[in-house]
Amino acid sequence: MTGIAEGRVVVVTGAGRGLGRAHALAFAAAGAKVVVNDLGVAADGAGASQGPAHDVVAAIRAAGGEALAHGGDIATAQGAASLVTTAVEEFGAIDTLVNNAGFLRDRMLVNMEEDDWDAVVRVHLTGHFLPLKYAAQWWRAEAKAGRRRSARVVNTSSGAGLLGSVGQGNYSAAKAGIVGLTLVASAELGRYGVQVNALAPAARTRMTEATFADTMAAPEEGSGAFDAMAPENVSPLVVWLGSDGSAGVTGRVFEAEAGRITVMEGWRPGPTIDKAGRWTPQEAGEATRKLLGEAVAPGAVYGAGE
């Protein structure tokens, strides 16, 4: 296998199914050695199985690629550290980290239990932070030893993190946090040769099939129609971001869906009024009303008004 990721060592979390699986297979097809991390849990995080990760490894090896499975919990320090150690000890390095692992526990806010909140924030946000931390420590050590690497991180956010999603307060908050983490990591790690970007994908996976069953159905087999919601449509951008080809691209957030790629433009100053003194509450309200009339309306929260 040869391609844009030739010779790179790539770690993908949550790579046993869905988007992570598609990313792992695409990196392998592009020439990378891949560490496939997955706990094999159910869609709500329950249970565990080594099967999904090993199935992906088997598929990569059957196609002539190199891969190995890692079953550690990347939302723990031990699991995240062992993920990086495994890549370095088995393949000699870590060049690209794709943080993708996650699950859902959807509830309206008034019905959400603390455990539903903690579990989702843990797997998505802590599960991004810890692998990033331990990979960054290795890249820093390499840079200090005079071996500055062309390292890449691709984090997985969501449209829910950018706009919000009704019934997904925990997931939306975690995915918004991933965007903030991406921006900070890009600023802090550039000195070590690390580029960090985030992706908000839309595809048919276990996490989306129930919510978007009508719009995400696959076309009939043999129809020749483009499967717009196939996870494999997202992976080419992830592979490019994880390769040397993306040199100079960092601190960015992208949306990817079907054949569409969008550069997302985040918070930036809009209309402003400066009194150069203290407002009264009434004055502040009148000024704010005026500013809102000049501002661009925010995008609609997913599920609002349904």
Side-chain angles (χ1 to χ4, degrees), residues 102-191:
F103 55 73
L104 296 176
R105 292 191 185 177
D106 293 352
R107 301 282 190 281
M108 298 300 250
L109 289 173
V110 294
N111 297 323
M112 187 175 293
E113 300 292 341
E114 186 176 356
D115 183 60
D116 296 327
W117 175 274
D118 290 343
V120 169
V121 171
R122 175 184 181 274
V123 68
H124 288 280
L125 190 51
T126 306
H128 270 62
F129 159 63
L130 288 173
L132 176 56
K133 170 187 174 179
Y134 288 104
Q137 287 181 348
W138 190 78
W139 289 324
R140 180 183 62 181
E142 287 290 286
K144 288 184 174 180
R147 298 185 296 268
R148 192 172 185 267
R149 305 193 71 87
S150 176
R152 305 286 187 265
V153 178
V154 183
N155 291 329
T156 306
S157 184
S158 168
L162 304 178
L163 294 174
S165 179
V166 171
Q168 294 188 310
N170 48 5
Y171 179 72
S172 297
K175 289 303 191 182
I178 287 167
V179 172
L181 176 64
T182 298
L183 301 179
V184 172
S186 172
E188 290 185 358
L189 303 181
R191 72 192 72 179

Side-chain angles (χ1 to χ4, degrees), residues 33 35 78 97 117 146 163 182 194 207 221 238 275 280:
K33 301 174 183 178
V35 179
Q78 181 180 1
L97 170 64
W117 175 274
L163 294 174
T182 298
V194 185
M207 289 173 56
E221 188 173 351
V238 176
K275 182 183 177 182
T280 68

Side-chain angles (χ1 to χ4, degrees), residues 8-276:
R8 294 182 71 83
V9 178
V10 177
V11 172
V12 185
T13 70
R17 301 182 180 95
L19 283 164
R21 179 182 188 277
H23 300 340
L25 293 173
F27 271 110
K33 301 174 183 178
V34 184
V35 179
V36 178
N37 165 265
D38 204 284
L39 278 177
V41 299
D44 65 352
S49 169
Q50 296 183 10
H54 286 281
D55 289 345
V56 175
V57 169
I60 291 173
R61 290 176 177 173
E66 294 184 63
L68 56 88
H70 179 271
D73 182 354
I74 46 79
T76 68
Q78 181 180 1
S82 73
L83 178 62
V84 174
T85 299
T86 296
V88 173
E89 290 184 348
E90 297 296 328
F91 288 142
I94 176 171
D95 298 301
T96 298
L97 170 64
V98 180
N99 284 314
N100 171 77
F103 55 73
L104 296 176
R105 292 191 185 177
D106 293 352
R107 301 282 190 281
M108 298 300 250
L109 289 173
V110 294
N111 297 323
M112 187 175 293
E113 300 292 341
E114 186 176 356
D115 183 60
D116 296 327
W117 175 274
D118 290 343
V120 169
V121 171
R122 175 184 181 274
V123 68
H124 288 280
L125 190 51
T126 306
H128 270 62
F129 159 63
L130 288 173
L132 176 56
K133 170 187 174 179
Y134 288 104
Q137 287 181 348
W138 190 78
W139 289 324
R140 180 183 62 181
E142 287 290 286
K144 288 184 174 180
R147 298 185 296 268
R148 192 172 185 267
R149 305 193 71 87
S150 176
R152 305 286 187 265
V153 178
V154 183
N155 291 329
T156 306
S157 184
S158 168
L162 304 178
L163 294 174
S165 179
V166 171
Q168 294 188 310
N170 48 5
Y171 179 72
S172 297
K175 289 303 191 182
I178 287 167
V179 172
L181 176 64
T182 298
L183 301 179
V184 172
S186 172
E188 290 185 358
L189 303 181
R191 72 192 72 179
Y192 307 125
V194 185
Q195 295 182 181
V196 188
N197 294 286
L199 183 73
R204 184 179 56 255
T205 69
R206 291 190 306 165
M207 289 173 56
T208 59
E209 61 186 0
T211 305
F212 304 109
D214 294 337
T215 58
M216 290 192 167
E220 291 186 12
E221 188 173 351
S223 68
F226 174 52
D227 186 356
M229 302 314 300
E232 291 78 9
N233 298 333
V234 176
S235 299
L237 176 59
V238 176
V239 172
W240 182 78
L241 288 171
S243 75
D244 285 333
S246 64
V249 180
T250 191
R252 293 287 194 164
V253 179
F254 301 87
E255 274 195 345
E257 175 184 349
R260 177 175 60 83
I261 296 171
T262 303
V263 179
M264 303 303 290
E265 297 181 339
W267 296 106
R268 62 189 64 214
T272 304
I273 295 176
D274 185 355
K275 182 183 177 182

